[in-house]
Amino acid sequence: MSNSDVTYLFDPLCGWCYGATPMLDRLSASGVRIEPLATGLFSGAGALPMDKGFAAHGRTTSASSV
């Protein structure tokens, strides 16, 4: 591929989003430009602040869903 761009919308607390990493790596290696764009809890006017407690909660809930 050439001259292709992908805007990857992801939620930083979503384990499934991190599961797409191998595919994104393959696209990037083939010449596709990847533009990551965080969405979900960390975007816009309603964005939640990331603190240690919230980060720990995210890790716990993601680990339990795998």
Side-chain angles (χ1 to χ4, degrees):
M1 293 181 156
S2 62
N3 299 324
S4 296
D5 295 340
V6 170
T7 301
Y8 179 58
L9 306 173
F10 70 99
D11 185 330
L13 289 181
C14 173
W16 292 103
C17 293
Y18 290 99
T21 300
M23 182 248 342
L24 295 169
D25 288 343
R26 286 192 299 273
L27 286 172
S28 181
S30 71
V32 175
R33 188 177 73 82
I34 308 293
E35 180 183 354
L37 181 61
T39 63
L41 297 173
F42 297 97
S43 65
L48 298 176
M50 174 62 84
D51 59 21
K52 288 182 180 183
F54 193 60
H57 171 73
R59 282 190 297 276
T60 302
T61 56
S62 288
S64 64
S65 64
V66 176

